Amino acid sequence: MVFMLLLVMLTTCAAVPQDLTGKMFTFPQETNTAHVRLTTETKELKALTVCLRSFTDLQRGHSLFSLATPSAANDFLIWKDATSNTARLYVRDYVAGFRGVDYKLNTWHSICSTWDSGSGVIQLWLDGNPLSRKFITSGSNIPGPIIIVFGQDQDSHGGGFVTSESFLGMMSDVHMWDYIVSPTEIRNYMDHVNFSPGNVLNWSALEFQITGRVLIEDKF
Ligand SMILES: *[C@@H]1O[C@H](CO)[C@@H](O)[C@H](O)[C@H]1NC(C)=O
């Protein structure tokens, strides 16, 4: 009875949105378990924008944002390569590479990406600067159920984590929209000035569950 009650309470707590303004997730260890799983009611995406800030000293490849569905483990993935100045974006398991990515270690970076299934064009932004736009895939929406994970790369829907693809460091200010956010708004996000919070993921009202050693700390 007490156990049941505890279970119900835990489930309820996990579903309560938290305001993480001024906070960050710290991933202090390389593991194949520690992660944050996000809850979203969004059923299907025909366009999207994701923005986040990250801080790491990882020189190997790592996942910054992993969105999987039953039909594609990399339905939307922001991936930093091992080589210092390249990154990759995935949509529906298709991939586009980006060069000239000035991703210094031990410093906060603001990263945004937009994609639209109509044009199939994807874009990456880093620290206020847009990178060259690329075609990745068009005509097919991202279908639900959607699972979004920070700290690990999903190689299957909600799992398939490996230590060598995990994230180590800090992450903050994550927002996701189900439409293309304008360049002006993206610059505002990157400059830390007023912007409309994400309607899919909102850092001021985030629903998530932590597994393993992930801390919520004050951002610095
Ligand atoms: C984001 O969360 C804040 C705080 O709960 C809320 O005021 C705002 O309306 C939310 N924005 C969206 C787009 O959901």
Side-chain angles (χ1 to χ4, degrees):
M1 184 62 194
V2 175
F3 180 67
M4 284 298 290
L5 203 64
L6 197 68
L7 262 184
V8 171
M9 277 171 66
L10 278 174
T11 323
T12 320
C13 285
V16 172
Q18 285 190 49
D19 182 357
L20 294 180
T21 305
K23 306 278 182 190
M24 62 185 185
F25 288 126
T26 301
F27 300 88
Q29 241 180 347
E30 294 180 61
T31 71
N32 63 354
T33 49
H35 68 280
V36 181
R37 182 167 161 162
L38 284 298
T39 310
T40 171
E41 271 140 41
T42 303
K43 303 277 186 295
E44 188 173 29
L45 292 161
K46 60 180 198 298
L48 63 83
T49 303
V50 170
C51 288
L52 58 90
R53 291 189 235 282
S54 67
F55 187 118
T56 187
D57 70 350
L58 283 176
Q59 284 182 301
R60 57 166 172 75
H62 56 274
S63 169
L64 287 163
F65 186 97
S66 169
L67 184 160
T69 67
S71 59
N74 298 326
D75 227 328
F76 182 74
L77 170 65
I78 305 177
W79 178 264
K80 179 63 189 69
D81 287 319
T83 37
S84 64
N85 62 351
T86 66
R88 273 182 271 172
L89 296 174
Y90 290 79
V91 177
R92 311 247 62 220
D93 282 342
Y94 292 91
V95 61
F98 293 84
R99 292 175 284 267
V101 179
D102 189 13
Y103 189 85
K104 287 191 192 65
L105 305 186
N106 296 313
T107 181
W108 281 106
H109 292 292
S110 299
I111 297 163
C112 292
S113 177
T114 64
W115 171 72
D116 164 54
S117 70
S119 69
V121 170
I122 195 154
Q123 181 145 37
L124 183 63
W125 291 74
L126 181 70
D127 300 328
N129 300 312
L131 283 80
S132 199
R133 291 164 68 76
K134 310 231 154 130
F135 176 82
I136 183 161
T137 181
S138 67
S140 169
N141 297 347
I142 295 175
I146 287 167
I147 297 179
I148 299 169
V149 164
F150 305 147
Q152 299 288 340
D153 179 44
Q154 301 176 77
D155 287 337
S156 64
H157 192 222
F161 304 154
V162 291
T163 306
S164 62
E165 297 179 341
S166 66
F167 177 77
L168 175 82
M170 291 86 80
M171 196 164 280
S172 188
D173 298 337
V174 184
H175 290 271
M176 180 168 179
W177 300 258
D178 60 4
Y179 55 89
I180 302 253
V181 168
S182 73
T184 310
E185 284 270 287
I186 287 181
R187 286 212 169 85
N188 286 347
Y189 170 85
M190 295 192 157
D191 293 343
H192 297 81
V193 297
N194 263 349
F195 65 93
S196 319
N199 65 340
V200 177
L201 299 178
N202 179 353
W203 191 250
S204 307
L206 202 68
E207 289 180 43
F208 61 93
Q209 276 173 295
I210 288 179
T211 300
R213 185 163 289 131
V214 181
L215 310 171
I216 299 173
E217 300 183 297
D218 289 336
K219 187 170 182 278
F220 57 83

